[in-house]
Amino acid sequence: MSAARTPRFGDRLRPTIRLRLTILYTGLFLGAGIVLLGLTYLLVQNNLQRQGDPSQDRVFAAAGPAVKGEAPMPGEASELTVQRVQGALIKGREDYQRETLNALLTQGGIALALVGAAGLGFGWLLADRALRPVHAITETARRVARSHDLTERIAYEGPRDDVKELADTFDTMLGRLARAFDGQRRFVANASHELRTPLAINRTLIDVALRRPDATGDVKRLGESLLVVNGRHERLIDGLLTLAGTENVVAETGPLDLADVAGHVLRQAAPEARARGVTADRLLGPAPTSGDPVLVERLVQNLVENAIRHNRDGGEVRVATRGRDGWAELTVANTGPVVPAYEVETIFEPFRRLGNDRVRSDRGAGLGLSIVRATATAHGGAVTAAPRPEGGLVVTVRLPGRAGDPLDAAPAAGASSTAPG
């Protein structure tokens, strides 16, 4: 399983559902306000056209010849015609209507902008309130993903709507997953007993037969071959059970340091490394993390054993640990045959080996790196591999750093050596 996809720039700019709802609410409100303002404008305009303003008529009638801004001369009052007075009244009424409508548009637009701004704020708050049940579902899913506690439920008590249906569906899914994982745990436990017991009996019977005084050379050679086959089957079953258990749940977690685990594994692997003529270079710096000690040790052990077994005579293995950017990092590199870049990803699949190495069952069952990836993923980490141009692989494991511990320290001085133990 690959690491999480890095968000693209366009994804980061995409508005959230809360922002989209707020924009939708505000847009609908402003649209309704603009329509209302337009209708009001038309109604007022129509009303002003149908009804004149009587006060304006009285004002212009009293003004008489002063419409032009001139004082009437004696004898000129008779020259004012009815048409001139009516024209002045109509012009005054039009000015009045125009000023009224302009004031309506200006003041209405300002009021609409202020109310729209208030609607934007209230829309943001209402969107948050409407999305609270969805936030509760998301938070529950996040806690379940972090803790692997499938017994937790949302138990939404709101009205029977779409959110209630979503929450109930999620609770049902969690219940089915919990039952499935419980069944898998029971199967793994039963399989562990049922598969290992006959192999242990076979190994005991073969040991007893080899220790008999009357055992011939052919019987001893056959018994030794059967012990080798039995050991391979035991390792295969152990790997399958470990892989099945690792992909399920990390039951027990505790503080640990990858440097301590790597040092312990290197000491255990020292006899095998010497037997194959492989030297090791260690550069173990502080790399505190949290996890299941047994599974993490198995992870490091699989990497070191693969680096030793899939190596050339007189080859080298380099193991380094460090803390970096909030992660605990383990790097295992080895010399060996050249690995094509297009085959790197396939080695993490169960029972997959490079090239024709499938026949070399003495090197393992092809589950080592599958267990490594499953263990790292179960701990919230990731595994990557890259071929070396001169041959061999560089495998890097990154696990989440332990909270409160500095993870940018350089490898400790004097931590380097040229022997695995």
Side-chain angles (χ1 to χ4, degrees):
M1 186 178 295
S2 59
R5 182 178 66 91
T6 303
R8 295 176 298 179
F9 182 72
D11 296 336
R12 291 194 293 266
L13 293 180
R14 185 175 300 171
T16 62
I17 186 172
R18 182 181 180 185
L19 180 58
R20 293 199 296 270
L21 285 176
T22 302
I23 295 174
L24 177 62
Y25 295 157
T26 307
L28 291 175
F29 182 82
L30 288 177
I34 292 173
V35 172
L36 180 61
L37 182 59
L39 290 177
T40 304
Y41 180 88
L42 294 176
L43 290 174
V44 171
Q45 184 184 42
N46 184 56
N47 187 59
L48 289 175
Q49 289 176 352
R50 286 190 298 106
Q51 298 179 3
D53 190 353
S55 63
Q56 290 291 328
D57 292 342
R58 289 194 295 271
V59 170
F60 284 105
V67 174
K68 288 184 172 183
E70 301 175 355
M73 298 297 292
E76 290 184 357
S78 59
E79 297 180 2
L80 292 175
T81 63
V82 177
Q83 289 79 5
R84 292 177 63 187
V85 173
Q86 289 179 346
L89 292 175
I90 292 173
K91 183 177 183 302
R93 186 180 299 116
E94 291 176 350
D95 292 340
Y96 172 76
Q97 292 176 356
R98 184 170 56 254
E99 292 175 358
T100 301
L101 293 175
N102 289 338
L104 175 64
L105 287 179
T106 302
Q107 298 176 6
I110 295 175
L112 183 61
L114 293 176
V115 177
L120 182 65
F122 282 112
W124 180 262
L125 296 178
L126 290 176
D128 177 67
R129 183 175 182 83
L131 291 174
R132 282 180 185 175
V134 180
H135 293 162
I137 296 175
T138 303
E139 184 61 29
T140 302
R142 186 179 292 113
R143 285 198 304 269
V144 171
R146 285 197 302 260
S147 65
H148 302 280
D149 183 12
L150 296 178
T151 62
E152 188 171 0
R153 298 293 183 270
I154 298 174
Y156 180 64
E157 299 294 341
R160 284 206 161 272
D161 52 11
D162 295 339
V163 177
K164 173 70 172 175
E165 184 178 356
L166 174 62
D168 292 344
T169 303
F170 188 81
D171 287 341
T172 303
M173 181 190 67
L174 286 178
R176 296 185 64 180
L177 285 175
R179 290 191 294 270
F181 279 112
D182 288 340
Q184 183 177 353
R185 292 191 192 99
R186 290 192 296 270
F187 171 78
V188 170
N190 294 334
S192 175
H193 175 75
E194 296 296 332
L195 294 177
R196 285 172 174 167
T197 298
L199 291 178
I201 294 174
N202 288 342
R203 185 176 62 253
T204 302
L205 293 176
I206 295 172
D207 287 336
V208 171
L210 290 178
R211 291 190 178 95
R212 294 183 57 178
D214 57 346
T216 63
D218 292 339
V219 171
K220 291 182 178 180
R221 285 191 294 271
L222 177 61
E224 291 173 355
S225 300
L226 292 176
L227 285 177
V228 172
V229 174
N230 201 80
R232 293 174 184 170
H233 291 166
E234 289 178 346
R235 289 193 298 270
L236 174 61
I237 292 174
D238 184 64
L240 288 172
L241 295 175
T242 302
L243 181 61
T246 302
E247 291 179 336
N248 194 352
V249 175
V250 179
E252 298 180 359
T253 60
L256 53 90
D257 195 319
L258 289 181
D260 298 335
V261 179
H264 174 70
V265 171
L266 286 171
R267 286 191 294 272
Q268 289 184 327
E272 183 178 1
R274 285 194 294 268
R276 293 177 176 268
V278 176
T279 59
D281 180 24
R282 64 174 71 184
L283 197 63
L284 306 180
T289 184
S290 299
D292 188 316
V294 176
L295 292 180
V296 173
E297 181 180 350
R298 183 63 181 269
L299 179 151
V300 180
Q301 181 181 2
N302 285 354
L303 289 178
V304 172
E305 288 180 351
N306 279 353
I308 293 174
R309 294 171 183 174
H310 299 275
N311 211 321
R312 56 179 173 79
D313 295 336
E316 298 177 355
V317 172
R318 182 179 180 275
V319 180
T321 60
R322 64 173 177 174
R324 182 183 182 186
D325 300 331
W327 295 84
E329 190 173 277
L330 166 71
T331 302
V332 179
N334 71 324
T335 56
V338 176
V339 180
Y342 59 85
E343 288 192 7
V344 169
E345 191 63 24
T346 62
I347 62 178
F348 289 99
E349 299 177 10
F351 305 109
R352 292 296 297 271
R353 302 182 184 91
L354 293 174
N356 298 323
D357 201 28
R358 181 177 294 274
V359 299
R360 297 294 305 274
S361 59
D362 59 310
R363 294 186 178 182
L367 295 173
L369 290 181
S370 301
I371 294 174
V372 169
R373 172 162 285 183
T375 302
T377 302
H379 285 80
V383 182
T384 58
R388 302 177 67 203
E390 62 274 18
L393 279 176
V394 178
V395 182
T396 302
V397 179
R398 302 185 74 196
L399 301 179
R402 192 164 65 237
D405 287 308
L407 285 178
D408 293 317
S416 177
S417 68
T418 57

